[in-house]
Structure formats: structure tokens, C-alpha cells
Amino acid sequence: MHVGDVAEDFISDLPQSIIENILTRLPIRDAVRTSILSTKWRYKWSTLTQLVFDENCVTPSNDRAPVEKSLVKFITHALFLHQGPIHKFQLSTARLQCCPDIDQWLLFLSRNDIRELVLELGEGEWFRVPSCLFNCKKLTRLELFRCEFDPPPTFTGFSYLRSLNLHQVLVAPEVIESLISSCPLLESLSLSYFDSLDLNIRAPNLKYLCLEGEFKDICLENTPLLVAMSVAMYMTDDIAEHFEQSSSCNFLKILGGVPRLERLVGYIYFTKYLSIGDDPGRFPITYSHLKIIELYQVSFEDMKEILVVIRLVTNSPNLEELQISGSSNTLAAIEAPDLDFWEKECPSDCSFEQLRLVKMTDISGVPHEMEFIKFLLRNSPVLEIMSITPCAFLTERKMNMLIELVRFRRASAQAEILFIQN
């Protein structure tokens, strides 16, 4: 190339699909700024099908009002100049909670083939979702944070919705159930921070489920394809009383119809909830696909909770990873009556042929915890690591626990016991 020749602009001549891919990876503010590069670039950003807005779109300031005004102006301007369909719109800000402009933006989006809508709003009053949202018939993903959600009587569901995430959303319980059952293609569902919710889920294509909040009842009535679920339950006195009066088997209501489950994570009160109700007796289901189980704050002084854990692991023949944290009242659990329970309830022919990793945390070393560890070591022929982390408050019993652990018979010659002290 001779001196004075103008360098050829390869980027500007790339196919539009590649340029859009490049612009999509930029923050929206930088994508809009490409307009100043040349006349060729002036409106290239305006055909982007994915628009993600947050407070970084405008110059930061400690003065709230100018930031809000600038952000509204920026988003309105971007939508006004936009050309063609908008497949994804995401707004993540705590600044515009009750901004009336959001209603106008959603009305505009409802007319532009919107498929993914994410509203992450925080602080102040809840944003009431306008009725035009329910006209977005092509939605495949909907995420709402701190919103009021009240569909009109004429709403019949989102026929194409595959992912639904409601976080701190004000909505009637019956509306949630109706919404879930009227989204026939739903694959991913996340509900968090709900109070005293009685939930019955009918979603034949559901694969991923995440629940967090105060649940009076959970029933997975029709979820045969579920592969991963995570449940965190918060307990109030009213809910605890409701649990005590229940006679139906919670274990079967949640886990009785999920044969394809691959990963199960149960946080606080989950095993307590599963243990409530009549004993189901012989299990009607084998979890042939279940590879990972994580259970937190399991009470090893409650025989019914222990039974829940045993039934889960012994009915999961292909289990590969098991993580359990204890929540024992040491004084109550140290007496540990019914140690013959382990002979009665654990199958003599049980063998965990795929179990390679076990993590036990917050362990007090009380008899039923130690019996459970002994049971796993004795029946896991390919176990590689058994990791034990004792409770922080445990002091003088640590050495006794360690001595007892190394004496346990191991089915795996390669099994290594790691005793981790915080």
C-alpha cells in the first residue's frame, strides 16, 4: 500500500448479521456511539434485536433526578430510532420503579415481536405490569423483579413461553398456578420470595425448577420431564402449625412423579417438609437419572428426616455426588435411641456403584450422623473422597470423631477421608 492510500474498511463491509453480533456484545451505550464512526455506521445499531439497558447507559451521579431523566431520555430515544423487530428487551435498574414511561416502552415492545422480556426493578413501590404485556403472544422468556402481576380475565396464557422467573412479585396464588398451566411449552420456572404460598404445579414440559420462599404446600402434579430442582423453604409459626396438621405424604407430592430427575438441591427445612405426612412405605419410583443430591440443614435427631435421606439415596442407583450439611441439636442427638434403625431401614444389598464424592458439613459427630457415614463408606465401592467438616463449635469431640472415622470399614480401597477443620 502506497503512502497516502486510504486503508480499506473491512469491518463496515462485513455482513449485517456479523456486525449485529459484534454490536450485541457491546453495552448498548457503546453500540449507539458507533454512529459517529462514519455515515455507514450511523444507524447500524438501530436494527439490533437485543436491547439491554441499565444505569451504565448514562453518566453516573449522586443526584438521583438527573440520572433518572437521562436514563428515560436515552431509552426513549433508542426505541424511537429503532428499526425492525426487538426480540429481547432487558431493563435492570433501581431508578425507575414507578416511571410511567415504562408503560409506553412496553406498549411499543408489544407491537415489535418481543420474545424475551426482563424487568429487574428495585426499591420503592412495586411496578404494576400494564395490560399490554399480556398481548405479547410470542414471549419465550419472562423475568419480573418487584412487580405487580395481574392478568386480565381474557388472558389465556403465553403459548410460546419457555422460561418464567418471578422474583418478589405481587400476584394471587391462583394466578400463578393458572399462568403455569397455560404455558404448555414451559421448561424453566423460578419463583422466589413468596409468602405462605400453596402451590400446585402442572407443567408437562418443565425441566428446571427453582423455588424459594414460605410455602404452605408444594405439589408437583404433572412434571414428568423435570431434570433439576432447587427448593429453599422459610418457616413461620403458621406454616409450622399447618405442617403438623398435615397427613398426606409430602415426599410423594414433591418427588413421587419426577423419574427423570438428575440434580436435587434442598435448602433449609426441605428435608423437614419431605418428612411430614403418612409413611409411603415401599417407594413407587427409582431415580435412575439422579446423579447429584445436595441437602442442607438435615436434622440427625429426627428419625423421619433421616429416613427421607436414606430413601432418597438408596433409590438413586446412579448417584455420583452427595452433599449433606447437618443441623443437629447436639445434646438431644447424642443420646440417639433406636440405633438398630440402621439395620432395619437400610437394605443389606444396597450398593452405590457410581458414588465417587461425599461431602458432609456442619457435622457434630453424634451417633446417627456417624452411622450414616459408616453406611455410605461400607456400601460405596468406587468412592474416591469422603469430606467431613465438623461444626465450628465442636472442640473436644473432634479427635474422637476422627479416630472413629478412620476405623470404619470402606468398600473402596481408594476412598480418602478428608477431615476439614475451619
Side-chain angles (χ1 to χ4, degrees):
M1 185 173 66
H2 297 292
V3 176
D5 286 352
V6 177
E8 190 173 351
D9 184 359
F10 289 107
I11 296 180
S12 296
D13 292 329
L14 288 171
Q16 178 62 24
S17 60
I18 295 179
I19 290 177
E20 179 169 333
N21 193 295
I22 294 171
L23 292 175
T24 299
R25 296 171 188 273
L26 295 174
I28 186 67
R29 186 181 184 183
D30 293 338
V32 172
R33 283 174 171 173
T34 60
S35 292
I36 65 173
L37 293 177
S38 69
T39 53
K40 282 186 177 182
W41 282 85
R42 189 172 182 186
Y43 292 114
K44 284 193 181 292
W45 70 269
S46 66
T47 58
L48 287 175
T49 59
Q50 300 187 35
L51 302 177
V52 178
F53 299 99
D54 56 27
E55 291 166 23
N56 295 320
C57 293
V58 297
T59 304
S61 171
N62 292 328
D63 194 344
R64 186 183 183 96
V67 173
E68 291 179 4
K69 185 176 180 181
S70 297
L71 188 56
V72 168
K73 183 178 179 181
F74 180 86
I75 297 174
T76 302
H77 183 72
L79 293 178
F80 179 75
L81 293 178
H82 192 274
Q83 303 174 40
I86 299 174
H87 293 158
K88 176 182 177 179
F89 178 90
Q90 179 170 336
L91 175 61
S92 302
T93 177
R95 304 276 186 169
L96 305 178
Q97 189 66 25
C98 295
C99 174
D101 296 86
I102 299 178
D103 289 27
Q104 297 303 313
W105 300 337
L106 292 178
L107 179 61
F108 177 82
L109 293 168
S110 68
R111 298 168 178 169
N112 280 269
D113 291 335
I114 187 70
R115 296 176 189 176
E116 298 185 39
L117 178 63
V118 180
L119 295 180
E120 294 181 283
L121 306 174
E123 300 181 7
E125 297 179 20
W126 267 252
F127 169 72
R128 186 175 179 81
V129 174
S131 59
C132 62
L133 170 68
F134 303 101
N135 295 325
C136 301
K137 299 300 183 182
K138 294 186 179 180
L139 272 182
T140 60
R141 175 189 173 199
L142 177 62
E143 297 190 14
L144 301 177
F145 293 70
R146 285 185 64 83
C147 294
E148 279 189 66
F149 188 83
D150 186 18
T154 55
F155 179 64
T156 57
F158 296 114
S159 300
Y160 298 98
L161 197 69
R162 295 182 180 273
S163 177
L164 176 64
N165 183 353
L166 303 180
H167 178 90
Q168 281 189 299
V169 172
L170 296 180
V171 57
E174 62 272 15
V175 169
I176 294 180
E177 291 190 2
S178 175
L179 175 64
I180 293 170
S181 60
S182 62
C183 298
L185 300 183
L186 193 65
E187 295 180 354
S188 177
L189 173 64
S190 179
L191 304 176
S192 50
Y193 290 90
F194 284 85
D195 297 334
S196 301
L197 187 60
D198 194 330
L199 185 63
N200 194 337
I201 298 178
R202 303 176 189 88
N205 286 295
L206 193 67
K207 294 180 179 178
Y208 309 98
L209 175 64
C210 180
L211 302 175
E212 181 178 1
E214 296 173 5
F215 294 96
K216 274 191 171 181
D217 217 355
I218 302 172
C219 180
L220 305 186
E221 186 173 310
N222 183 15
T223 56
L225 301 184
L226 199 66
V227 297
M229 68 180 294
S230 169
V231 182
M233 309 183 74
Y234 307 137
M235 192 72 67
T236 64
D237 291 341
D238 289 345
I239 292 178
E241 184 178 350
H242 172 79
F243 282 175
E244 291 173 3
Q245 296 171 356
S246 175
S247 61
S248 57
C249 179
N250 286 351
F251 198 121
L252 292 182
K253 283 197 293 186
I254 293 186
L255 298 176
V258 287
R260 301 184 68 85
L261 198 63
E262 297 176 10
R263 182 187 182 104
L264 173 65
V265 181
Y267 293 100
I268 183 171
Y269 292 117
F270 182 63
T271 51
K272 172 68 73 178
Y273 178 79
L274 291 182
S275 72
I276 292 167
D278 297 334
D279 188 339
R282 185 172 176 82
F283 246 40
I285 183 173
T286 298
Y287 303 103
S288 301
H289 302 271
L290 191 54
K291 296 180 179 180
I292 299 173
I293 296 176
E294 297 178 31
L295 301 173
Y296 295 87
Q297 297 196 331
V298 177
S299 173
F300 276 90
E301 68 264 22
D302 186 326
M303 306 308 292
K304 293 186 73 175
E305 278 194 58
I306 298 172
L307 192 55
V308 162
V309 177
I310 290 174
R311 283 182 168 161
L312 259 178
V313 298
T314 56
N315 282 275
S316 304
N318 295 305
L319 189 65
E320 296 177 1
E321 295 182 22
L322 176 65
Q323 181 167 340
I324 292 181
S325 74
S327 177
S328 293
N329 178 330
T330 307
L331 294 178
I334 236 168
E335 300 174 4
D338 303 323
L339 280 178
D340 60 340
F341 161 89
W342 294 92
E343 296 294 331
K344 292 186 295 185
E345 296 295 343
C346 296
S348 57
D349 59 346
C350 176
S351 183
F352 304 107
E353 299 291 337
Q354 305 295 327
L355 187 60
R356 287 176 168 79
L357 174 62
V358 175
K359 290 184 179 181
M360 303 285 292
T361 58
D362 290 324
I363 299 303
S364 306
V366 296
H368 284 304
E369 288 175 339
M370 301 304 285
E371 286 294 325
F372 181 62
I373 294 170
K374 182 193 294 184
F375 167 67
L376 293 176
L377 286 172
R378 189 175 62 239
N379 296 285
S380 305
V382 297
L383 187 68
E384 296 172 1
I385 294 176
M386 167 73 77
S387 172
I388 310 289
T389 305
C391 292
F393 66 79
L394 203 64
T395 53
E396 56 193 47
R397 278 186 52 80
K398 284 184 182 178
M399 185 54 67
N400 293 336
M401 189 195 308
L402 182 56
I403 293 171
E404 192 175 352
L405 284 170
V406 297
R407 288 175 175 169
F408 289 161
R409 185 170 65 83
R410 309 174 202 179
S412 169
Q414 288 76 38
E416 181 180 4
I417 295 180
L418 302 181
F419 195 73
I420 300 171
Q421 300 191 61
N422 292 328

